[in-house]
Amino acid sequence: MGNVTNEKLSETVINETNLLNRRQFERIDGQWRLVRRKCKTCGSMFMFPKVTCPNCLGDTEFEAVPFGGKGEVFSYTVVSVMPTGFATPGLIAEVTLQEGPRLLTILDVPDVNDKRIGIGMKVEMVFKPVRKDEAGNPLYYYVFVPEKENGGL
Amino acid sequence: MRNVYVTGIGMTKFGILPDMNLREIGETAVWAALKDAGLKPSDIGVAYCGYAVSGHIYDQELVMGHTCLRELGIKEIPILRVEQACNSGGFAVREAFLAIQSGFYDVALAFGLEKMFGRGTQKAVDALSKGLDTELYAEYGLTPGATFGLISKRHMYDYGTTVEQMAMVSVKNRRHAALNPRAQFQKELTIEGVLTAPMIAEPVTLPMCCPITDGGAAAILVSEDFLRKRNCRKPVKILASVGASGSPSWTYKLSSHENYAISSKLGYEMAGLGPNDIDVAAVHEPCAIMEIMTYEGLGFCPMGEGGRFVESGASSLGGRLPVNTDGGTLSRGHAIAATGVAQIGEIVTQMRGEAGPRQVEGAKIGLQHCVGGYQMGDACGSTLHILERSSEI
């Protein structure tokens, strides 16, 4: 995640209580990182903590390996009406991470109808406040944005 | 292994049923199936009730099956809820099949019911979203419509499928539904009308998505011994009844789902048949693209050819393999847990030769396939039944 603002956000603002779906993340070197779980027996990598490795099904231990946060769009769709609390229209995408797994995510772009959005577009992960808790405090999660090195949008 | 037959079917009209509550919807479908079979309530040995989303909508989460059956004279038997989202009804039929095939029971009831109208669209959509794993999907605002958009877009990218071909599924199923008085929608559509309708999730428009629906359906399954003893009416033999969970992975294809291959392999093996033997099929298409994927996954056409299959007219009434002759999920309607049972009802009707203007001439073998839930690139599970027109027993 070569985004300075994102790193600073991750270091100083995001904490255990305001990060959504906490089980997907680990705090590594002061940064919140989306992690793979690497099986110490067979080397396979998966998302989310598991009781066993879905590949070798052994009584194994896992190592948390951070994702680079880069990937490309595998499919996408502009959704006319999003659920309550989400920006409408919304741009939902399947992103293939550089490391292999596919993720459903929100693509955060200025214009969801931008013709440059397409399958194969390079994207990267950033944290942002996605909604508020009952007291009005922001809750953080990741979204994907067009990769800055490729010009962004 | 004992042979199993369907001898009674019943259903309510699918659509908006403001004058019926959940109990009445269930009672109506079950009573119709008993009458159709010519059986007494006390003949039923075990009952399986498909029930998925109405619990959330109408605050009646538990014991719905008992509520429907208690005053129909069906009591002092096991009554069990079966849930697998959109495929709850398919698995209710599968459980009824197993109960008889195993030798424990001679008569089993499978039914499904939902009431989705009457408490606001948002409540119904919230209930549907409970078919998605919240850990995986809740924070992205994923809706069923968004899933349809993502799958459609990728199928177009991988295979060159067009939006016109998707629209043809909607038009075809509506044309079939126009011949089915129990269907939710009967006004015919045009391709242009489908393409210019409100966008749900690009490229998917409203008529490419299933509606929400009130409705119930029931089927009564019996053993061959019972059939002979009681001289049951117009039995239809079940050649295959299979069910399986899907094959989730982190590197899914999106444009094809493994469950189709999993359940069709099991089903064709059990029946000793293949896709070329099927005369008529009822499949689950919550979105037009999923009917196209079903043609491919069940072997009706090669992978990637599903768009051209519908375009050729092969899946229309009068075509090589008519699919969803009752209008399917798109136009018969999708009363979630009733859908799988309603599909069995349509195939039984076709096997009996009683489908009237939508009858597939000379149909001898019919197939039902339904899927439910969605996780990591595949349906949570599917069921598949193959039914055969019976010579006189």
Side-chain angles (χ1 to χ4, degrees):
Chain A
M1 289 182 291
N3 185 321
V4 176
T5 310
N6 195 41
E7 284 172 358
K8 200 159 273 178
L9 187 74
S10 177
E11 276 178 7
T12 59
V13 178
I14 298 172
N15 58 51
E16 291 275 350
T17 60
N18 64 15
L19 180 60
L20 291 164
N21 218 353
R22 160 76 183 82
R23 302 285 284 163
Q24 281 182 297
F25 304 95
E26 293 291 339
R27 197 168 173 87
I28 297 170
D29 298 334
Q31 296 272 325
W32 286 100
R33 306 292 290 269
L34 185 68
V35 293
R36 295 171 286 175
R37 310 285 163 173
K38 182 177 179 182
C39 172
K40 287 185 177 174
T41 305
C42 77
S44 296
M45 297 206 236
F46 300 91
M47 302 285 290
F48 296 104
K50 304 275 184 216
V51 67
T52 181
C53 166
N55 182 52
C56 71
L57 303 178
D59 291 323
T60 188
E61 288 187 1
F62 293 91
E63 179 189 354
V65 180
F67 280 111
K70 301 210 170 183
E72 64 177 53
V73 172
F74 184 73
S75 192
Y76 67 100
T77 183
V78 178
V79 183
S80 304
V81 181
M82 292 286 285
T84 311
F86 291 87
T88 288
L91 183 55
I92 297 262
E94 295 270 6
V95 166
T96 308
L97 298 167
Q98 255 175 5
E99 293 85 353
R102 214 152 273 150
L103 276 185
L104 189 101
T105 188
I106 288 176
L107 276 191
D108 194 29
V109 296
D111 173 13
V112 296
N113 294 310
D114 193 315
K115 297 289 179 213
R116 290 171 292 179
I117 298 164
I119 290 174
M121 184 174 74
K122 305 281 185 202
V123 292
E124 63 188 349
M125 197 186 101
V126 298
F127 284 103
K128 67 173 280 188
V130 292
R131 55 187 166 86
K132 290 180 174 164
D133 66 14
E134 284 168 6
N137 301 310
L139 295 169
Y140 291 85
Y141 203 45
Y142 67 86
V143 296
F144 278 77
V145 297
E147 203 177 51
K148 295 286 184 294
E149 286 163 25
N150 282 291
L153 280 188
Chain B
M1 298 275 221
R2 305 208 304 169
N3 287 327
V4 182
Y5 293 76
V6 183
T7 190
I9 53 169
M11 69 183 285
T12 65
K13 181 176 165 56
F14 273 29
I16 308 176
L17 305 176
D19 299 328
M20 295 171 100
N21 64 21
L22 277 161
R23 175 186 56 78
E24 291 167 306
I25 289 171
E27 279 188 356
T28 303
V30 172
W31 198 245
L34 277 167
K35 293 286 155 191
D36 183 54
L39 295 180
K40 300 191 296 287
S42 57
D43 290 324
I44 306 286
V46 62
Y48 299 96
C49 175
Y51 185 63
V53 296
S54 306
H56 175 79
I57 300 170
Y58 277 91
D59 302 319
Q60 176 67 66
E61 196 60 66
L62 307 179
V63 298
M64 193 67 237
H66 299 78
T67 305
C68 295
L69 300 182
R70 67 171 186 244
E71 286 165 296
L72 288 184
I74 300 172
K75 49 191 177 184
E76 300 177 21
I77 63 163
I79 301 172
L80 296 155
R81 176 184 182 175
V82 182
E83 183 277 309
Q84 196 198 72
C86 302
N87 191 29
S88 304
F91 262 107
V93 175
R94 156 85 169 155
E95 290 303 311
F97 173 87
L98 292 177
I100 296 167
Q101 197 203 33
S102 67
F104 269 88
Y105 299 98
D106 276 317
V107 184
L109 167 67
F111 69 116
L113 71 153
E114 303 286 359
K115 188 170 173 70
M116 301 174 74
F117 283 101
R119 290 284 169 95
T121 309
Q122 192 59 48
K123 195 105 194 229
V125 172
D126 287 351
L128 287 167
S129 71
K130 296 190 184 303
L132 299 167
D133 178 349
T134 52
E135 183 182 39
L136 288 178
Y137 300 125
E139 300 303 342
Y140 309 110
L142 186 68
T143 57
T147 313
F148 302 153
L150 292 165
I151 293 171
S152 299
K153 202 82 162 225
R154 189 68 202 187
H155 203 280
M156 293 167 75
Y157 181 86
D158 285 345
Y159 300 119
T161 306
T162 65
V163 287
E164 286 79 11
Q165 289 166 338
M166 295 181 206
M168 285 171 196
V169 173
S170 304
V171 171
K172 185 255 309 173
N173 288 356
R174 184 64 62 86
R175 194 165 60 236
H176 293 174
L179 304 173
N180 177 10
R182 291 201 179 90
Q184 183 163 355
F185 300 123
Q186 293 201 278
K187 189 171 170 235
E188 295 213 21
L189 294 167
T190 62
I191 290 171
E192 196 198 348
V194 174
L195 295 180
T196 55
M199 194 64 81
I200 298 298
E202 182 220 6
V204 175
T205 63
L206 185 61
M208 293 184 200
C209 298
C210 67
I212 62 170
T213 303
D214 301 340
I220 295 171
L221 280 61
V222 295
S223 66
E224 187 163 342
D225 296 342
F226 184 89
L227 200 70
R228 291 181 189 283
K229 197 164 65 190
R230 293 286 291 272
N231 196 21
C232 292
R233 181 179 171 272
K234 295 204 173 174
V236 173
K237 189 174 181 182
I238 301 180
L239 298 181
S241 174
V242 299
S245 57
S247 189
S249 89
W250 285 111
T251 51
Y252 44 83
K253 296 193 191 79
L254 209 59
S255 57
S256 64
H257 293 170
E258 293 298 319
N259 76 80
Y260 299 116
I262 295 165
S263 54
S264 61
K265 183 170 185 292
L266 289 169
Y268 292 144
E269 274 177 15
M270 186 171 179
L273 297 172
N276 292 332
D277 298 309
I278 307 301
D279 298 314
V280 57
V283 305
H284 181 45
E285 38 27 307
C287 175
I289 191 64
M290 290 185 70
E291 183 167 313
I292 288 172
M293 290 163 68
T294 307
Y295 304 152
E296 298 167 355
L298 300 184
F300 297 170
C301 68
M303 196 57 73
E305 294 292 319
R308 285 174 280 280
F309 190 76
V310 66
E311 187 169 8
S312 75
S315 55
S316 294
L317 273 169
R320 178 165 72 77
L321 202 178
V323 175
N324 287 332
T325 50
D326 63 351
T329 308
L330 291 176
S331 282
R332 172 200 62 235
H334 187 24
I336 309 296
T339 286
V341 189
Q343 290 176 315
I344 291 289
E346 177 65 9
I347 295 301
V348 167
T349 305
Q350 290 285 349
M351 293 301 100
R352 288 172 169 178
E354 292 180 348
R358 61 180 199 281
Q359 179 64 42
V360 176
E361 286 303 319
K364 290 193 178 104
I365 304 285
L367 177 149
Q368 174 268 349
H369 183 263
C370 195
V371 303
Y374 178 81
Q375 293 183 358
M376 291 167 61
D378 201 1
C380 291
S382 59
T383 52
L384 185 142
H385 290 83
I386 298 176
L387 277 60
E388 180 187 40
R389 187 174 74 192
S390 304
S391 45
E392 289 310 308
I393 293 265

